[in-house]
Amino acid sequence: MDRIAARLNKISPSQTIAISTKARALKAGGRDIISLSAGEPDFDTPDNVKQAAIRAIEAGQTKYTDVSGTPALRQAIAERFRLDSGLDYRPEEIIVSTGGKQVIYNAMVATLEAGDEAIIPSPCWVSYPDIVALADGTPVIIPCGPNSGFKLRAEDLEAAITPRTKWFFLNSPNNPTGAAYSAAELRPICDVLLRHPDVWIFTDDIYDKLIYGDFKAATIVQVEPRLRDRTVTMNGCSKAYAMTGWRIGFAGAPLALIRAMDKLQSQSTSNASSISQAAALEALTGPQDFIGDMVETYQGRRDLVVEMLNQAAGITCHKPEGAFYVYPSMQGCIGLTSRTGIAIDDDERFVTALLEEEGVATVHGAAFMFPGHFRVSYATDTESLREACTRIQRFCAGLR
């Protein structure tokens, strides 16, 4: 169709969603499928949050709200930023959007001009480069391999900055690797950014409550408050509160940028769902013990998956600090052939053959701008994870 805008040629459909869709279709057709492809908690939304939504409906809170969110929710978000990370945002410096993805879109469309560059360490979430491209920006990808724990080195950031650099993205804990940055690891990165005052920072902290063991994660403005006036700190309710379908993301940022994002949102979706906002208010201000229980469960699953994947022929799996993903290398499988004759030429052929032959859905590493790996989500029950890893071991053992 020649009526479709050329800008859509710059992007592709989300490959994580595509894999999940294919897995669901196979399952609907009668196949025994274990899906490890979705980036979504398998826990249910806490009851107190659901009840808050019901109360909001019964109280008639079904009207439009302020575009940037209800005053009560924005105040609660500001307080949660303060309690969790020591960040000082006023309610008017907060925006609530329909998921974190809209926060990113709003920020990029509101600021990028054609030719502006956005530095994105990889492996990275699949949507960052496409949103930058859709906003007429140019994604600049910095590979960060397993030798550095999939974390960006300050010298690589320094080398990537040019006069056209407008944004720098950081996602910690990271999707797809689970890698998280401590304050000490962020310090040299902040020092680089201080030397480049025209570079803005977008820090995606959506997984920041999913941290394991004694590791202490940090965020940019917490480590270096002097960067506050050019940083967007994004978070949301989807991961920590098991509220993916409620579609609530939010961010703190300088007032001028929040106003620009509000202006854009006012002409796209307007406010996020009023009922979802009421639920989010309860999530952020109500009991938080649910999170600790969830983290304990995830940590046990992480340890199981890492151990079992490292026992698979041709697979090596790094143990991450957070989120609910591992990002194993399948380099030892390249050049081999599966039992049904599929040549494992790259990570995409690997995950395709794994799905078709063993019924395990994962996501290939090229989707995250870092090939030779694949992403496994351990946000599913332990027995399914154990069975899936057993199938992966069997699949790898059968390669010739």
Side-chain angles (χ1 to χ4, degrees):
M1 291 178 62
D2 59 4
R3 296 179 183 271
I4 301 300
R7 71 175 67 90
L8 286 186
N9 294 328
K10 300 176 181 178
I11 66 172
S12 58
S14 170
Q15 295 184 64
T16 54
I17 293 174
I19 293 290
S20 297
T21 301
K22 183 175 181 179
R24 282 194 295 268
L26 288 171
K27 194 168 187 176
R31 287 287 305 278
D32 176 18
I33 302 295
I34 302 175
S35 180
L36 307 181
S37 61
E40 144 173 271
D42 60 311
F43 294 88
D44 195 11
T45 302
D47 284 340
N48 63 303
V49 176
K50 291 188 285 187
Q51 290 304 314
I54 292 169
R55 290 194 300 272
I57 293 171
E58 291 175 339
Q61 296 178 25
T62 56
K63 308 298 183 184
Y64 294 131
T65 74
D66 292 345
V67 171
S68 287
T70 65
L73 180 55
R74 295 167 82 185
Q75 177 64 54
I77 291 167
E79 180 65 6
R80 183 51 55 193
F81 274 136
R82 186 187 68 80
L83 290 173
D84 291 347
S85 303
L87 305 183
D88 180 23
Y89 288 110
R90 303 189 306 276
E92 58 268 31
E93 295 176 303
I94 303 292
I95 189 168
V96 179
S97 299
T98 307
K101 195 175 289 188
Q102 187 179 26
V103 174
I104 303 168
Y105 180 85
N106 286 347
M108 295 303 107
V109 172
T111 59
L112 287 173
E113 305 284 0
D116 287 343
E117 295 174 349
I119 294 173
I120 305 172
S122 76
C124 63
W125 183 41
V126 296
S127 293
Y128 296 149
D130 279 350
I131 291 175
V132 167
L134 195 58
D136 287 333
T138 301
V140 176
I141 306 299
I142 305 180
C144 305
N147 289 341
S148 62
F150 295 111
K151 299 177 190 180
L152 176 68
R153 300 183 306 173
E155 57 265 35
D156 293 333
L157 173 60
E158 183 80 65
I161 294 175
T162 76
R164 309 235 40 172
T165 303
K166 177 71 75 70
W167 283 97
F168 162 62
F169 278 78
L170 191 71
N171 175 208
S172 173
N174 174 269
N175 176 7
T177 67
Y181 291 78
S182 66
E185 290 168 326
L186 285 179
R187 183 68 261 172
I189 292 173
C190 290
D191 291 341
V192 171
L193 294 167
L194 285 172
R195 292 195 291 271
H196 296 275
D198 294 329
V199 177
W200 280 63
I201 302 106
F202 193 104
T203 178
D204 179 350
D205 299 345
I206 198 77
Y207 296 95
D208 70 343
K209 293 181 176 60
L210 306 183
I211 295 292
Y212 308 120
D214 296 327
F215 188 84
K216 302 292 184 187
T219 192
I220 290 282
V221 177
Q222 180 183 21
V223 174
E224 183 45 82
R226 287 177 292 176
L227 294 172
R228 180 190 187 280
D229 290 341
R230 50 188 170 107
T231 298
V232 175
T233 303
M234 190 194 87
N235 214 306
C237 294
S238 60
K239 313 302 181 181
Y241 300 97
M243 293 176 66
T244 52
W246 299 79
R247 307 310 300 135
I248 293 291
F250 51 80
L255 183 58
L257 180 55
I258 290 293
R259 286 174 173 167
M261 293 165 69
D262 177 279
K263 181 179 181 181
L264 175 61
Q265 189 165 299
S266 75
Q267 295 292 8
S268 55
T269 62
S270 191
N271 60 274
S273 161
S274 61
I275 305 306
S276 293
Q277 289 190 63
L281 177 61
E282 172 63 24
L284 296 175
T285 60
Q288 303 292 300
D289 54 326
F290 164 82
I291 298 172
D293 295 339
M294 185 167 59
V295 167
E296 183 178 357
T297 299
Y298 279 145
Q299 182 169 339
R301 294 174 180 177
R302 177 203 63 173
D303 294 345
L304 170 70
V305 169
V306 169
E307 180 181 1
M308 291 191 71
L309 289 179
N310 277 321
Q311 294 170 1
I315 302 293
T316 56
C317 186
H318 176 79
K319 181 182 284 189
E321 296 90 357
F324 43 66
Y325 310 107
V326 293
Y327 197 64
S329 167
M330 45 69 64
Q331 296 282 1
C333 301
I334 291 178
L336 303 178
T337 303
S338 74
R339 58 182 173 81
T340 63
I342 298 176
I344 309 301
D345 299 328
D346 55 27
D347 49 86
E348 185 168 7
R349 297 295 293 274
F350 177 91
V351 301
T352 298
L354 178 62
L355 178 58
E356 292 178 358
E357 296 184 10
E358 291 288 351
V360 178
T362 60
V363 186
H364 56 292
F368 304 103
M369 310 300 290
F370 199 93
H373 294 68
F374 61 108
R375 189 189 76 174
V376 170
S377 168
Y378 49 87
T380 192
D381 68 275
T382 301
E383 288 310 307
S384 293
L385 288 170
R386 192 184 306 276
E387 173 61 20
C389 290
T390 298
R391 295 184 191 185
I392 293 171
Q393 290 175 351
R394 184 169 63 216
F395 173 77
C396 291
L399 297 175
R400 295 291 181 266

